[in-house]
Amino acid sequence: MKPLSKPRMQLFELLHDVYYGIIENLVIKDGEPVLDPRPRVVRKIKLGGDNGPKPFVPSAAYFANPAVADLLNFLDGCGNGEIQSLEAHHGIPFQMLVEDSNTD
């Protein structure tokens, strides 16, 4: 795996910080997430559960996850755009909504 840029690493740190929830209106510029200003974050809170922050420890296993690889591939091919919502489960990207620019 090639080294991640600082913005991409910050995105994965944010996903892990959110743990369960959604990052909304994430701007992508030249294939890199723009995190300043910070995008809107909506957390899912499990009542009666452990909702505290979890430390993010980058590992080969985390980055080998197919969902993480899919997000990296999306960023590589995105150029400029916006992810309307990026949902995290257990700190891992789960699903996202993007506008389809293909109007054919």
Side-chain angles (χ1 to χ4, degrees):
M1 179 183 96
K2 67 180 182 178
L4 291 180
S5 65
K6 183 177 178 180
R8 288 183 183 202
M9 185 60 78
Q10 289 172 330
L11 174 60
F12 287 109
E13 289 169 354
L14 179 58
L15 281 163
H16 198 79
D17 183 53
V18 171
Y19 212 65
Y20 276 99
I22 299 169
I23 299 167
E24 295 182 332
N25 306 320
L26 177 62
V27 173
I28 308 298
K29 183 174 181 184
D30 299 326
E32 297 292 332
V34 176
L35 297 166
D36 186 18
R38 183 176 159 144
R40 182 171 185 243
V41 171
V42 180
R43 295 183 190 275
K44 291 183 179 182
I45 306 295
K46 181 179 179 185
L47 300 174
D50 177 14
N51 295 297
K54 315 282 188 286
F56 179 62
V57 181
S59 68
Y62 180 86
F63 290 104
N65 184 294
V68 172
D70 284 350
L71 179 55
L72 289 170
N73 288 334
F74 174 82
L75 293 172
D76 287 342
C78 180
N80 296 315
E82 181 177 289
I83 298 174
Q84 292 178 354
S85 71
L86 175 57
E87 188 169 351
H89 285 192
H90 295 286
I92 296 170
F94 176 70
Q95 64 184 3
M96 62 184 178
L97 294 175
V98 296
E99 185 175 339
D100 185 357
S101 60
N102 185 3
T103 58
D104 294 351

XYZ file of all heavy atoms in Angstrom:
809
model
N 0.832 -1.170 0.000
C 0.000 0.000 0.000
C 0.882 1.240 0.000
O 1.849 1.327 0.749
C -0.895 -0.018 1.247
C -1.793 1.188 1.355
S -2.773 1.206 2.872
C -1.733 2.236 3.866
N 0.521 2.196 -0.872
C 1.299 3.439 -0.900
C 0.930 4.298 0.307
O -0.177 4.178 0.850
C 1.055 4.191 -2.210
C -0.342 4.742 -2.382
C -0.480 5.454 -3.705
C -1.882 6.043 -3.820
N -2.089 6.773 -5.040
N 1.852 5.165 0.734
C 1.549 6.012 1.893
C 0.341 6.916 1.618
O 0.144 7.393 0.499
C 2.820 6.847 2.076
C 3.879 6.139 1.309
C 3.194 5.365 0.226
N -0.468 7.134 2.643
C -1.640 7.995 2.506
C -1.255 9.447 2.706
O -0.400 9.762 3.540
C -2.695 7.625 3.540
C -3.396 6.291 3.382
C -4.400 6.098 4.503
C -4.102 6.191 2.052
N -1.933 10.324 1.977
C -1.744 11.751 2.172
C -2.296 12.130 3.550
O -3.102 11.399 4.148
C -2.483 12.534 1.088
O -3.882 12.334 1.213
N -1.888 13.269 4.045
C -2.382 13.737 5.339
C -3.905 13.891 5.337
O -4.559 13.436 6.284
C -1.698 15.050 5.720
C -2.097 15.554 7.081
C -1.350 16.819 7.460
C -1.813 17.314 8.826
N -1.116 18.541 9.213
N -4.531 14.499 4.285
C -5.996 14.605 4.305
C -6.702 13.250 4.313
O -7.729 13.091 4.977
C -6.327 15.387 3.026
C -5.081 16.126 2.686
C -3.959 15.249 3.160
N -6.178 12.273 3.609
C -6.803 10.949 3.599
C -6.679 10.278 4.965
O -7.620 9.665 5.451
C -6.208 10.067 2.502
C -6.641 10.514 1.114
C -6.131 9.609 0.040
N -6.519 10.113 -1.276
C -6.586 9.368 -2.352
N -6.285 8.085 -2.307
N -6.944 9.894 -3.500
N -5.500 10.416 5.588
C -5.327 9.841 6.930
C -6.272 10.524 7.903
O -6.893 9.861 8.745
C -3.878 9.976 7.399
C -3.632 9.295 8.728
S -3.959 7.512 8.744
C -2.494 6.898 7.942
N -6.439 11.841 7.773
C -7.359 12.565 8.652
C -8.799 12.102 8.434
O -9.576 12.038 9.385
C -7.244 14.072 8.423
C -5.949 14.648 8.935
C -5.751 16.097 8.541
O -6.227 16.557 7.505
N -5.034 16.836 9.372
N -9.160 11.773 7.193
C -10.502 11.264 6.926
C -10.716 9.932 7.641
O -11.753 9.720 8.279
C -10.743 11.103 5.422
C -12.073 10.443 5.040
C -13.273 11.244 5.568
C -12.155 10.271 3.527
N -9.742 9.038 7.578
C -9.890 7.743 8.251
C -9.894 7.917 9.777
O -10.589 7.194 10.481
C -8.832 6.755 7.785
C -9.101 6.273 6.385
C -8.304 6.664 5.321
C -10.190 5.458 6.118
C -8.569 6.243 4.028
C -10.473 5.026 4.831
C -9.660 5.427 3.784
N -9.144 8.890 10.278
C -9.205 9.194 11.714
C -10.600 9.695 12.086
O -11.140 9.322 13.129
C -8.144 10.234 12.077
C -6.735 9.692 12.017
C -5.664 10.774 12.117
O -6.002 11.987 12.117
O -4.480 10.407 12.200
N -11.184 10.545 11.233
C -12.531 11.054 11.492
C -13.560 9.919 11.440
O -14.441 9.832 12.295
C -12.896 12.156 10.496
C -14.295 12.770 10.636
C -14.515 13.359 12.031
C -14.504 13.823 9.554
N -13.443 9.043 10.452
C -14.351 7.892 10.372
C -14.279 7.077 11.657
O -15.298 6.634 12.187
C -14.010 7.011 9.171
C -14.490 7.492 7.819
C -13.753 6.770 6.692
C -15.995 7.284 7.683
N -13.081 6.881 12.143
C -12.925 6.092 13.366
C -13.458 6.843 14.573
O -14.040 6.253 15.477
C -11.465 5.693 13.569
C -11.306 4.558 14.514
N -11.518 3.253 14.151
C -10.996 4.530 15.817
C -11.338 2.469 15.185
N -11.009 3.222 16.218
N -13.269 8.168 14.585
C -13.794 8.982 15.676
C -15.319 8.953 15.687
O -15.938 8.851 16.742
C -13.287 10.417 15.555
C -13.752 11.284 16.710
O -13.530 10.882 17.870
O -14.330 12.355 16.454
N -15.932 9.011 14.508
C -17.390 8.933 14.402
C -17.859 7.558 14.846
O -18.860 7.418 15.523
C -17.843 9.226 12.945
C -19.316 8.936 12.759
C -17.508 10.659 12.560
N -17.148 6.535 14.457
C -17.379 5.123 14.757
C -18.696 4.628 14.161
O -18.680 3.811 13.258
C -17.282 4.840 16.258
C -16.750 3.459 16.526
C -15.451 3.133 16.168
C -17.529 2.485 17.122
C -14.950 1.863 16.392
C -17.027 1.209 17.365
C -15.741 0.903 16.988
O -15.246 -0.354 17.201
N -19.821 5.108 14.652
C -21.129 4.857 14.026
C -21.727 6.218 13.733
O -21.958 7.004 14.646
C -22.080 4.093 14.954
C -21.901 2.606 14.939
C -21.166 1.983 15.921
C -22.463 1.831 13.934
C -20.985 0.613 15.923
C -22.291 0.458 13.921
C -21.552 -0.142 14.913
O -21.373 -1.493 14.910
N -21.995 6.495 12.482
C -22.600 7.773 12.134
C -22.328 8.137 10.694
O -21.916 7.298 9.886
N -22.556 9.412 10.401
C -22.493 9.879 9.022
C -21.706 11.176 8.947
O -21.902 12.084 9.761
C -23.919 10.106 8.468
C -24.703 8.789 8.495
C -23.884 10.676 7.057
C -26.182 8.944 8.218
N -20.824 11.256 7.977
C -20.132 12.493 7.623
C -20.879 13.041 6.412
O -21.039 12.328 5.415
C -18.653 12.214 7.276
C -17.934 11.605 8.484
C -17.963 13.497 6.805
C -16.572 11.023 8.153
N -21.346 14.277 6.507
C -22.168 14.854 5.442
C -21.426 15.958 4.702
O -20.639 16.704 5.287
C -23.460 15.427 6.024
C -24.371 14.375 6.615
C -25.670 14.942 7.142
O -25.707 16.125 7.546
O -26.666 14.187 7.141
N -21.743 16.053 3.399
C -21.241 17.135 2.542
C -19.718 17.237 2.567
O -19.161 18.312 2.769
C -21.885 18.467 2.917
C -23.401 18.376 2.893
O -23.979 17.746 2.021
N -24.048 18.983 3.857
N -19.069 16.110 2.339
C -17.614 16.057 2.328
C -17.103 16.465 0.949
O -17.316 15.757 -0.041
C -17.133 14.647 2.684
C -15.630 14.414 2.639
C -14.908 15.307 3.653
C -15.320 12.947 2.902
N -16.444 17.599 0.888
C -15.907 18.113 -0.373
C -14.641 17.336 -0.726
O -13.797 17.057 0.137
C -15.606 19.629 -0.253
C -14.900 20.153 -1.491
C -16.900 20.391 0.003
N -14.515 17.010 -2.018
C -13.325 16.347 -2.538
C -12.690 17.288 -3.555
O -13.359 17.741 -4.492
C -13.663 14.999 -3.224
C -14.506 14.104 -2.319
C -12.388 14.290 -3.686
C -13.850 13.703 -1.025
N -11.417 17.610 -3.365
C -10.699 18.495 -4.293
C -9.433 17.787 -4.755
O -8.600 17.388 -3.934
C -10.353 19.816 -3.613
C -9.683 20.790 -4.534
C -9.475 22.126 -3.887
C -8.809 23.044 -4.907
N -8.483 24.332 -4.335
N -9.339 17.596 -6.055
C -8.193 16.885 -6.644
C -7.991 15.514 -6.000
O -6.865 15.092 -5.743
C -6.910 17.721 -6.530
C -7.008 19.043 -7.274
O -7.679 19.078 -8.333
O -6.433 20.044 -6.806
N -9.104 14.829 -5.713
C -9.041 13.487 -5.153
C -8.750 13.430 -3.671
O -8.587 12.348 -3.112
N -8.688 14.581 -3.013
C -8.378 14.631 -1.584
C -9.570 15.174 -0.800
O -10.195 16.158 -1.226
C -7.148 15.516 -1.318
C -5.874 15.000 -1.951
C -5.372 13.697 -1.334
O -5.632 13.441 -0.140
O -4.703 12.931 -2.051
N -9.896 14.574 0.339
C -10.981 15.105 1.171
C -10.575 16.451 1.761
O -9.426 16.644 2.164
C -11.148 14.046 2.261
C -9.850 13.326 2.306
C -9.262 13.392 0.930
N -11.534 17.369 1.813
C -11.304 18.682 2.415
C -11.964 18.664 3.796
O -13.184 18.557 3.893
C -11.891 19.811 1.535
C -11.733 21.168 2.213
C -11.253 19.805 0.144
N -11.144 18.751 4.829
C -11.648 18.637 6.194
C -11.561 19.950 6.967
O -11.815 19.989 8.168
C -10.908 17.525 6.926
C -11.129 16.153 6.287
C -10.126 15.143 6.800
C -12.539 15.675 6.539
N -11.207 21.027 6.289
C -11.188 22.343 6.904
C -11.912 23.310 5.984
O -11.382 23.609 4.916
C -9.750 22.802 7.142
C -9.669 24.110 7.920
O -10.670 24.487 8.558
O -8.603 24.745 7.879
N -13.137 23.688 6.322
C -13.792 23.444 7.595
C -14.275 21.994 7.702
O -14.508 21.333 6.681
C -14.972 24.417 7.582
C -15.303 24.599 6.135
C -13.980 24.497 5.413
N -14.422 21.559 8.928
C -14.851 20.177 9.190
C -16.261 19.955 8.657
O -17.144 20.783 8.879
C -14.825 19.915 10.693
C -15.183 18.491 11.054
C -15.050 18.293 12.541
N -15.835 17.136 12.950
C -15.475 16.298 13.898
N -14.365 16.489 14.554
N -16.233 15.290 14.224
N -16.467 18.848 7.940
C -17.825 18.546 7.458
C -18.753 18.237 8.637
O -18.305 17.960 9.751
C -17.627 17.316 6.573
C -16.347 16.704 7.027
C -15.510 17.804 7.587
N -20.037 18.297 8.354
C -21.038 18.003 9.381
C -20.972 16.519 9.740
O -20.890 15.658 8.862
C -22.425 18.348 8.848
C -23.530 18.123 9.844
C -24.855 18.696 9.314
N -25.878 18.583 10.329
C -26.972 17.847 10.189
N -27.203 17.196 9.073
N -27.854 17.786 11.156
N -21.030 16.221 11.035
C -20.985 14.845 11.522
C -22.255 14.568 12.312
O -22.633 15.343 13.189
C -19.744 14.600 12.419
C -19.813 13.243 13.090
C -18.472 14.745 11.601
N -22.931 13.477 11.963
C -24.126 13.041 12.682
C -23.811 11.667 13.266
O -23.538 10.730 12.519
C -25.358 12.963 11.741
C -26.585 12.501 12.500
C -25.603 14.299 11.055
N -23.817 11.583 14.570
C -23.475 10.330 15.236
C -24.724 9.504 15.521
O -25.778 10.037 15.838
C -22.769 10.603 16.554
C -21.442 11.275 16.385
C -20.764 11.460 17.739
N -19.609 12.308 17.620
C -18.397 11.889 17.264
N -18.202 10.619 16.989
N -17.393 12.718 17.174
N -24.574 8.189 15.426
C -25.609 7.267 15.878
C -25.217 6.851 17.291
O -24.098 6.395 17.518
C -25.693 6.041 14.967
C -26.215 6.351 13.585
C -26.335 5.078 12.771
C -26.884 5.379 11.390
N -27.057 4.173 10.592
N -26.137 7.010 18.210
C -25.876 6.694 19.611
C -26.696 5.467 19.992
O -27.918 5.458 19.856
C -26.264 7.875 20.526
C -25.582 9.171 20.082
C -26.002 7.541 21.981
C -24.086 9.178 20.204
N -26.012 4.429 20.443
C -26.695 3.228 20.914
C -27.003 3.421 22.391
O -26.094 3.554 23.218
C -25.817 1.996 20.708
C -26.482 0.718 21.162
C -25.583 -0.472 20.922
C -26.250 -1.742 21.399
N -25.363 -2.894 21.281
N -28.271 3.468 22.707
C -28.674 3.655 24.092
C -28.264 2.439 24.913
O -28.478 1.293 24.511
C -30.179 3.893 24.169
C -30.653 5.136 23.396
C -32.163 5.221 23.410
C -30.033 6.390 23.954
N -27.627 2.709 26.020
C -27.163 1.626 26.879
C -25.876 0.993 26.386
O -25.434 -0.008 26.930
N -25.273 1.569 25.350
C -24.058 0.990 24.791
C -22.843 1.864 25.032
O -22.927 2.957 25.589
N -21.699 1.386 24.611
C -20.441 2.123 24.724
C -20.317 3.040 23.516
O -20.078 2.581 22.402
C -19.270 1.134 24.792
C -17.922 1.825 24.845
O -17.878 3.051 25.097
O -16.903 1.145 24.640
N -20.494 4.333 23.715
C -20.445 5.298 22.632
C -19.226 6.205 22.702
O -19.138 7.171 21.954
C -21.724 6.158 22.650
C -22.954 5.323 22.361
O -23.105 4.764 21.293
N -23.830 5.208 23.349
N -18.311 5.899 23.589
C -17.132 6.742 23.758
C -16.166 6.622 22.596
O -16.247 5.692 21.782
N -15.239 7.574 22.491
C -14.259 7.535 21.410
C -13.342 6.322 21.532
O -13.057 5.850 22.629
C -13.484 8.837 21.575
C -13.718 9.257 22.976
C -15.040 8.689 23.404
N -12.933 5.827 20.394
C -12.010 4.696 20.330
C -10.710 5.194 19.693
O -10.750 5.929 18.712
C -12.569 3.563 19.455
C -14.032 3.216 19.685
C -14.226 2.378 20.915
C -15.631 1.860 21.056
N -16.626 2.816 21.455
N -9.557 4.808 20.217
C -8.304 5.252 19.598
C -8.134 4.632 18.208
O -8.484 3.466 17.992
C -7.226 4.768 20.558
C -7.869 3.675 21.344
C -9.345 3.946 21.377
N -7.656 5.426 17.257
C -7.416 4.930 15.910
C -5.958 4.502 15.806
O -5.050 5.305 16.030
C -7.721 5.997 14.869
C -7.459 5.548 13.454
C -8.155 4.482 12.914
C -6.520 6.184 12.668
C -7.935 4.058 11.615
C -6.294 5.767 11.359
C -6.995 4.711 10.834
N -5.758 3.245 15.501
C -4.419 2.712 15.287
C -4.378 2.172 13.868
O -4.937 1.104 13.592
C -4.094 1.598 16.321
C -2.693 1.067 16.091
C -4.265 2.106 17.740
N -3.761 2.939 12.941
C -3.698 2.459 11.557
C -2.982 1.109 11.501
O -1.949 0.914 12.138
C -2.881 3.533 10.835
C -2.879 4.719 11.726
C -3.071 4.203 13.125
N -3.583 0.193 10.765
C -2.979 -1.131 10.641
C -3.182 -1.655 9.225
O -4.070 -1.203 8.505
C -3.614 -2.107 11.637
O -4.960 -2.350 11.276
N -2.380 -2.616 8.867
C -2.507 -3.246 7.550
C -3.888 -3.886 7.406
O -4.499 -3.822 6.338
C -1.405 -4.272 7.339
N -4.402 -4.469 8.487
C -5.720 -5.116 8.430
C -6.818 -4.093 8.155
O -7.729 -4.354 7.372
C -5.995 -5.854 9.732
N -6.734 -2.916 8.792
C -7.744 -1.873 8.552
C -7.739 -1.463 7.081
O -8.778 -1.400 6.431
C -7.483 -0.656 9.451
C -8.493 0.461 9.243
C -9.693 0.453 9.932
C -8.250 1.504 8.365
C -10.633 1.465 9.753
C -9.174 2.518 8.171
C -10.370 2.487 8.870
O -11.293 3.481 8.671
N -6.563 -1.184 6.549
C -6.474 -0.704 5.173
C -6.655 -1.812 4.145
O -6.861 -1.535 2.968
C -5.170 0.071 4.962
C -5.183 1.385 5.693
C -4.472 1.549 6.858
C -5.959 2.438 5.233
C -4.518 2.755 7.556
C -6.013 3.639 5.912
C -5.286 3.803 7.071
N -6.635 -3.077 4.581
C -6.922 -4.193 3.677
C -8.424 -4.457 3.579
O -8.864 -5.224 2.719
C -6.216 -5.454 4.160
N -9.213 -3.812 4.429
C -10.665 -3.986 4.382
C -11.186 -3.544 3.015
O -10.828 -2.472 2.527
C -11.308 -3.148 5.502
C -12.798 -3.348 5.579
O -13.528 -2.978 4.674
N -13.243 -3.919 6.676
N -12.022 -4.344 2.364
C -12.521 -3.986 1.027
C -13.246 -2.635 0.977
O -13.130 -1.918 -0.016
C -13.478 -5.128 0.676
C -13.058 -6.275 1.528
C -12.489 -5.675 2.780
N -13.959 -2.274 2.031
C -14.665 -0.989 2.043
C -13.671 0.175 2.073
O -13.889 1.207 1.414
C -15.616 -0.912 3.231
N -12.596 0.038 2.813
C -11.555 1.066 2.862
C -10.902 1.185 1.491
O -10.705 2.291 0.973
C -10.515 0.744 3.963
C -9.337 1.692 3.895
C -11.171 0.789 5.341
N -10.590 0.047 0.870
C -9.999 0.057 -0.471
C -10.945 0.702 -1.485
O -10.501 1.476 -2.349
C -9.637 -1.363 -0.898
N -12.238 0.411 -1.382
C -13.219 1.023 -2.291
C -13.251 2.540 -2.135
O -13.328 3.272 -3.124
C -14.619 0.464 -2.058
C -14.816 -0.929 -2.631
O -13.940 -1.408 -3.386
O -15.857 -1.544 -2.314
N -13.204 3.015 -0.899
C -13.211 4.467 -0.679
C -11.946 5.097 -1.256
O -12.009 6.145 -1.912
C -13.348 4.791 0.817
C -13.339 6.272 1.180
C -14.410 7.061 0.425
C -13.506 6.449 2.683
N -10.797 4.475 -1.042
C -9.554 4.998 -1.615
C -9.615 5.023 -3.141
O -9.200 6.003 -3.774
C -8.358 4.177 -1.131
C -7.984 4.376 0.337
C -6.956 3.327 0.771
C -7.473 5.782 0.573
N -10.153 3.964 -3.743
C -10.292 3.928 -5.206
C -11.248 5.011 -5.691
O -11.008 5.631 -6.736
C -10.767 2.554 -5.671
C -9.696 1.505 -5.551
O -8.505 1.799 -5.594
N -10.109 0.263 -5.364
N -12.335 5.248 -4.945
C -13.261 6.311 -5.313
C -12.543 7.652 -5.300
O -12.670 8.450 -6.231
C -14.461 6.338 -4.362
C -15.373 7.500 -4.617
C -16.327 7.431 -5.627
C -15.261 8.668 -3.884
C -17.155 8.516 -5.891
C -16.083 9.752 -4.146
C -17.031 9.671 -5.152
N -11.790 7.920 -4.236
C -11.064 9.188 -4.148
C -10.066 9.335 -5.299
O -9.935 10.423 -5.867
C -10.345 9.301 -2.801
C -11.233 9.424 -1.568
C -10.394 9.334 -0.294
C -12.049 10.708 -1.601
N -9.389 8.231 -5.634
C -8.421 8.272 -6.739
C -9.073 8.699 -8.046
O -8.476 9.408 -8.841
C -7.745 6.907 -6.927
C -6.741 6.580 -5.833
O -6.305 7.511 -5.121
O -6.404 5.392 -5.693
N -10.312 8.270 -8.279
C -10.984 8.560 -9.539
C -11.930 9.742 -9.496
O -12.502 10.117 -10.520
N -12.093 10.344 -8.326
C -13.125 11.371 -8.149
C -12.762 12.714 -8.753
O -13.612 13.392 -9.315
C -13.424 11.539 -6.660
S -14.669 12.786 -6.310
N -11.528 13.134 -8.632
C -11.181 14.491 -9.048
C -11.768 15.483 -8.066
O -11.373 15.546 -6.917
N -12.772 16.241 -8.532
C -13.451 17.226 -7.683
C -14.918 16.836 -7.565
O -15.528 16.426 -8.542
C -13.334 18.626 -8.272
C -11.898 19.106 -8.318
O -11.150 18.968 -7.366
N -11.501 19.659 -9.448
N -15.461 17.000 -6.389
C -16.863 16.665 -6.185
C -17.224 16.740 -4.728
O -16.564 17.423 -3.935
N -18.278 16.011 -4.380
C -18.752 16.010 -2.996
C -19.388 14.667 -2.688
O -20.130 14.130 -3.502
C -19.769 17.132 -2.792
C -20.300 17.231 -1.378
C -21.243 18.405 -1.197
O -20.763 19.551 -1.218
O -22.454 18.165 -1.064
N -19.079 14.156 -1.537
C -19.777 12.986 -1.016
C -20.882 13.540 -0.133
O -20.615 14.195 0.877
C -18.829 12.074 -0.207
C -17.704 11.553 -1.105
C -19.611 10.914 0.410
C -16.625 10.764 -0.363
N -22.129 13.297 -0.539
C -23.250 13.841 0.227
C -23.300 13.240 1.622
O -23.554 13.939 2.590
C -24.565 13.620 -0.514
C -24.657 14.448 -1.770
C -25.939 14.200 -2.541
O -26.742 13.323 -2.209
N -26.142 14.963 -3.594
N -23.085 11.941 1.718
C -23.000 11.315 3.045
C -22.090 10.103 2.961
O -22.101 9.371 1.979
C -24.382 10.931 3.584
O -24.921 9.856 2.874
N -21.289 9.955 4.002
C -20.374 8.825 4.130
C -20.637 8.215 5.497
O -20.399 8.845 6.528
C -18.928 9.299 4.013
C -17.827 8.268 4.237
C -17.960 7.090 3.288
C -16.464 8.927 4.104
N -21.178 7.001 5.492
C -21.579 6.350 6.734
C -20.476 5.435 7.241
O -19.843 4.704 6.471
C -22.858 5.547 6.510
C -23.454 4.986 7.766
C -24.845 4.412 7.584
O -25.447 4.596 6.504
O -25.333 3.774 8.531
N -20.257 5.500 8.562
C -19.261 4.653 9.207
C -19.949 3.640 10.113
O -20.906 3.970 10.808
C -18.311 5.504 10.047
N -19.468 2.400 10.073
C -19.856 1.346 11.014
C -18.563 0.806 11.602
O -17.687 0.377 10.851
C -20.590 0.206 10.310
C -21.995 0.520 9.940
N -22.870 -0.439 9.518
C -22.705 1.682 9.916
C -24.043 0.102 9.244
N -23.961 1.388 9.476
N -18.435 0.824 12.912
C -17.210 0.380 13.590
C -15.986 1.151 13.095
O -14.885 0.590 13.038
C -16.968 -1.122 13.407
C -17.990 -1.995 14.041
N -18.064 -2.187 15.403
C -18.994 -2.718 13.496
C -19.070 -3.013 15.668
N -19.661 -3.337 14.535
N -16.166 2.416 12.679
C -15.046 3.224 12.215
C -14.604 2.930 10.796
O -13.625 3.486 10.311
N -15.343 2.060 10.112
C -15.011 1.664 8.742
C -16.061 2.258 7.806
O -17.252 2.243 8.125
C -14.988 0.127 8.618
C -13.866 -0.433 9.491
C -14.824 -0.323 7.167
C -13.890 -1.930 9.652
N -15.636 2.789 6.647
C -16.648 3.295 5.716
C -17.600 2.170 5.335
O -17.169 1.049 5.048
C -15.841 3.782 4.511
C -14.509 3.161 4.630
C -14.300 2.838 6.070
N -18.898 2.462 5.382
C -19.911 1.441 5.133
C -20.647 1.687 3.819
O -20.777 0.800 2.997
C -20.889 1.394 6.305
C -22.022 0.436 6.114
C -21.801 -0.931 6.135
C -23.307 0.892 5.901
C -22.849 -1.828 5.943
C -24.370 0.007 5.721
C -24.137 -1.347 5.736
N -21.145 2.904 3.647
C -21.800 3.264 2.391
C -21.761 4.773 2.246
O -21.550 5.499 3.210
C -23.232 2.749 2.337
C -24.177 3.328 3.352
C -25.550 2.675 3.290
O -25.788 1.753 2.518
N -26.470 3.155 4.090
N -21.933 5.229 0.999
C -21.932 6.668 0.766
C -22.929 7.020 -0.323
O -23.312 6.172 -1.131
C -20.541 7.160 0.412
C -19.945 6.595 -0.841
S -18.260 7.226 -1.021
C -17.788 6.376 -2.516
N -23.349 8.265 -0.286
C -24.223 8.819 -1.316
C -23.447 9.877 -2.081
O -22.878 10.783 -1.460
C -25.476 9.455 -0.701
C -26.462 8.541 -0.006
C -27.568 9.370 0.648
C -27.063 7.547 -0.979
N -23.413 9.730 -3.385
C -22.783 10.727 -4.251
C -23.740 11.026 -5.391
O -24.507 10.164 -5.811
C -21.422 10.243 -4.798
C -20.411 10.047 -3.673
C -21.553 8.973 -5.591
N -23.678 12.243 -5.871
C -24.522 12.629 -6.992
C -23.982 11.995 -8.260
O -22.771 11.993 -8.505
C -24.551 14.140 -7.146
C -25.500 14.599 -8.224
C -25.614 16.114 -8.300
O -25.288 16.776 -7.308
O -26.044 16.610 -9.338
N -24.881 11.439 -9.058
C -24.499 10.844 -10.342
C -24.450 11.963 -11.373
O -25.483 12.533 -11.724
C -25.514 9.784 -10.747
C -25.116 9.029 -12.007
O -24.067 9.366 -12.612
O -25.834 8.115 -12.386
N -23.254 12.278 -11.836
C -23.107 13.368 -12.805
C -23.388 12.911 -14.234
O -23.425 13.706 -15.153
C -21.703 13.970 -12.724
O -20.736 12.956 -13.006
N -23.619 11.608 -14.407
C -23.924 11.082 -15.732
C -25.408 11.300 -16.010
O -26.271 10.683 -15.398
C -23.586 9.589 -15.794
C -23.774 9.003 -17.174
O -24.097 9.699 -18.119
N -23.571 7.708 -17.275
N -25.719 12.174 -16.954
C -27.101 12.505 -17.247
C -27.598 11.842 -18.518
O -28.624 12.236 -19.041
C -27.285 14.033 -17.352
O -26.404 14.520 -18.381
C -26.970 14.711 -16.033
N -26.900 10.855 -18.990
C -27.321 10.166 -20.229
C -28.575 9.369 -20.021
O -28.857 8.784 -19.070
C -26.220 9.232 -20.739
C -25.000 10.008 -21.185
O -25.078 11.250 -21.261
O -23.968 9.362 -21.432
